[in-house]
Structure formats: C-alpha cells, structure tokens
C-alpha cells in the first residue's frame, strides 16, 4: 500500500480522490434585458441586449464544501436573489458554518455581494485583487465612496478577523487532489481567477468568472471598457479557451443566461 501511494505521489496523482459534485445557485439577475455595448471596447455590440444573471456555485468534495462567488447582495434590490445564499444552503440541510472555502473570481460587488454571510470560511482570492482591497485608503483617482463599496463585503477578512489565502501561482489546488483548481486569469481585475472542476461522471467544467461575460464576447475577444489590463485580458482568454479545448471541458459563462442550464439548479448536483 505504501509503495502504491508513493508512486501516485510521484506521478502527481491523488492516493484517493473524493467524490466531487457541482451545483449552481441563483444569486440574482438583471430585471430586464440590458445593453451590453460597454462590454466591448471595440464597439462590437451596439444593439445587443441580454438579461444577465448572477450565479453562485457550490462544490461538494466528499464532506467538504467550496462556494464559488457570492453574487448580488440579498438586499431586496431589483438585482437581488429571491432567496439569500445561506438560506438556500440551510433549506438543503447544509449549515453555512460548514462551508470550508469561499473562492472569489474577483472583487467586483456582483461577485462578493453575500460574502459577509460566510465568515467562517477561508477566503481564496487572487493576490492582485487582495492587494487592491486591503489598504485603508483608495488608490489614486478612485472616489472614496466607490472604494468603500468595493471593500465592504471583505471587511471581515481585511480586518484580520477572517482567514484569507491570497493566491499568487498560475493555479491553486483547493483540496489537494487536483479535482478543484482555481486558475489565474488576470486582466478583468489584477487577481482575477476562473475555476476548474473535474467531475468523475460529467467530466471537466470551467467556470469563467468574468474572463468573458457572454457568448459573443467569448467568440470575438470582447474586452469590457473597465478591465484593468487589456493585454492580460486577451492572454487570459487565450489560456481559458485552450484549457477548455485540451480538457474537453464544459464552459460555463457565469453571466450568460444561455449557460444557466449547463449545470443543475441547487440542491441538485452534477457529478
């Protein structure tokens, strides 16, 4: 047995892979179709309108859990989810205190809106994003109110009360067996990430974060006006596409309503 485990370690393979499953949770949505013209800095979509969605995802790894992104705040606003993330978990018999990790694709508020409701989880965030939200004072040129709004969901962690793991490497193996991997895809923000989930039955799934926002952007290298680095954005799109091709992965573009049906709605899971 010991020799077998040693061989697996040398090959970079887990000695025992836990059961892995993935589900999508409703974490808000646009109340009506909206223009997405600003999502292309080359003016590619002057007429296109989409009713964007805000998704959260739950990865079950044996008896451990990762929440990926936390969507819009559950504050009753038009874009808010009908049921808060933690209430969806409780209704399915999952105690929010049992969530081991919260992985953030990036620091934008439509991905961090319910983060504060999971204070016991270890926060996984790209180093570039962590460095952008940790200082008390805003960066040059950013209004203080905008910076405060960006930082507010992360206050439990920036204050030192919560456990945080800033990620600096090209990829981060969340559970240590290669089944759930955060992938560095900077450009939309300095520390932006996507998520690779290797399901034993369905196969590989790639969650986009905001490396791309909808099918048309993905097909034509659409870069939003507000991305922090255009060259990094293009390089990350290229990496993401090649990963999808080589892994024969199901690509889930998180904001595109046409991709919602690619994963089961919580509490059902893809396995």
């Amino acid at each position: 047995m010991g020799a077998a485990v040693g061989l697996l370690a040398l090959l970079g393979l887990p000695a025992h892979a836990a059961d892995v499953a993935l589900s999508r949770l409703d974490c808000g949505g646009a109340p009506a179709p909206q223009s997405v013209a600003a999502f292309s800095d080359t003016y590619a979509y002057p007429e296109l309108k989409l009713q964007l969605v805000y998704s959260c995802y739950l990865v079950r790894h044996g008896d451990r859990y990762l929440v990926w992104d936390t969507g819009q705040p559950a504050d009753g606003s038009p874009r808010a989810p009908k049921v808060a993330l933690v209430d969806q978990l409780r209704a399915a018999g999952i105690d929010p205190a049992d969530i081991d990790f919260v992985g953030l694709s990036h620091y934008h508020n439509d991905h961090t809106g319910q983060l504060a409701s999971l204070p016991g989880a270890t926060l996984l965030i790209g180093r570039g994003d962590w460095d952008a939200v940790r200082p008390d004072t805003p960066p040059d040129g950013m209004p203080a109110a905008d910076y405060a709004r960006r930082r507010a969901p992360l206050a439990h962690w920036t204050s030192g009360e919560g456990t945080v793991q800033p990620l600096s490497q090209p990829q981060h193996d969340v559970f240590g067996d290669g089944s759930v991997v955060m992938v560095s895809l900077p450009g939309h923000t300095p520390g932006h990430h996507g998520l690779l989930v290797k399901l034993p039955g369905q196969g590989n799934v790639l969650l986009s974060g905001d490396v791309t926002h909808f099918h048309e952007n993905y097909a034509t290298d659409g870069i939003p006006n507000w991305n922090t680095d255009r060259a990094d954005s293009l390089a990350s799109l290229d990496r993401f596409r090649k990963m999808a091709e080589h892994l024969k992965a199901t690509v889930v573009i998180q904001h595109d309503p046409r991709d919602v049906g690619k994963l089961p709605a919580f509490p059902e899971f893809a396995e």
Side-chain angles (χ1 to χ4, degrees):
M1 177 68 177
V5 171
L7 176 60
L8 289 170
L10 285 171
L11 294 173
L13 299 173
H16 173 71
D19 291 333
V20 180
L22 175 63
S23 183
R24 175 191 178 268
L25 296 94
D26 179 5
C27 286
Q34 65 186 71
S35 170
V36 292
F39 287 77
S40 167
D41 63 7
T42 61
Y43 304 95
Y45 320 113
E47 307 297 333
L48 182 62
K49 292 185 177 182
L50 290 172
Q51 193 163 356
L52 299 179
V53 295
Y54 304 94
S55 299
C56 306
Y57 301 88
L58 182 66
V59 178
R60 187 181 69 216
H61 181 276
D63 59 358
R64 306 182 75 193
Y65 292 99
L66 161 76
V67 167
W68 176 252
D69 283 341
T70 65
Q72 291 281 357
D75 58 4
S77 65
R79 296 177 184 271
K82 294 182 175 65
V83 181
L85 169 59
V86 290
D87 291 335
Q88 293 182 62
L89 294 175
R90 290 189 185 105
I94 299 172
D95 187 339
D98 291 335
I99 300 299
D100 298 275
F101 300 103
V102 178
L104 290 183
S105 61
H106 62 297
Y107 57 59
H108 287 161
N109 290 82
D110 57 325
H111 294 257
T112 64
Q114 299 175 75
L115 177 60
S117 65
L118 296 168
T122 295
L123 176 64
L124 304 176
I125 183 173
R127 168 68 70 178
D129 277 19
W130 180 244
D131 290 345
V133 299
R134 187 174 49 175
D136 292 332
T137 56
D140 290 344
M142 176 174 250
D146 291 348
Y147 186 59
R149 180 172 174 268
R150 174 186 293 179
R151 293 186 78 227
L154 296 102
H156 177 70
W157 291 270
T158 57
S159 70
E161 295 181 29
T163 301
V164 60
Q165 189 171 355
L167 309 179
S168 302
Q169 299 302 314
Q171 55 190 44
H172 173 72
D173 186 348
V174 176
F175 295 102
D177 63 1
S179 62
V180 182
V181 179
M182 285 182 64
V183 180
S184 178
L185 299 168
H188 184 64
T189 61
H192 180 274
H193 278 66
L195 188 71
L196 169 63
V197 182
K198 301 177 182 179
L199 299 174
Q202 182 169 319
N204 298 316
V205 178
L206 275 168
L207 303 180
S208 67
D210 280 4
V211 71
T212 189
H213 292 80
F214 46 86
H215 292 182
E216 292 81 359
N217 256 46
Y218 189 49
T220 62
D221 287 336
I223 305 299
N225 288 318
W226 55 88
N227 277 23
T228 57
D229 190 295
R230 194 175 202 279
D232 282 352
S233 297
L234 289 169
S236 291
L237 264 173
D238 182 65
R239 181 186 187 195
F240 187 79
R241 281 202 200 92
K242 287 177 177 173
M243 287 181 64
E245 176 187 356
H246 297 154
L247 294 171
K248 297 179 173 57
T250 298
V251 170
V252 177
I253 299 175
Q254 293 183 206
H255 281 301
D256 197 313
R258 295 164 291 189
D259 279 11
V260 166
K262 290 183 177 179
L263 291 172
F266 187 73
E268 301 299 319
F269 282 86
E271 299 179 334

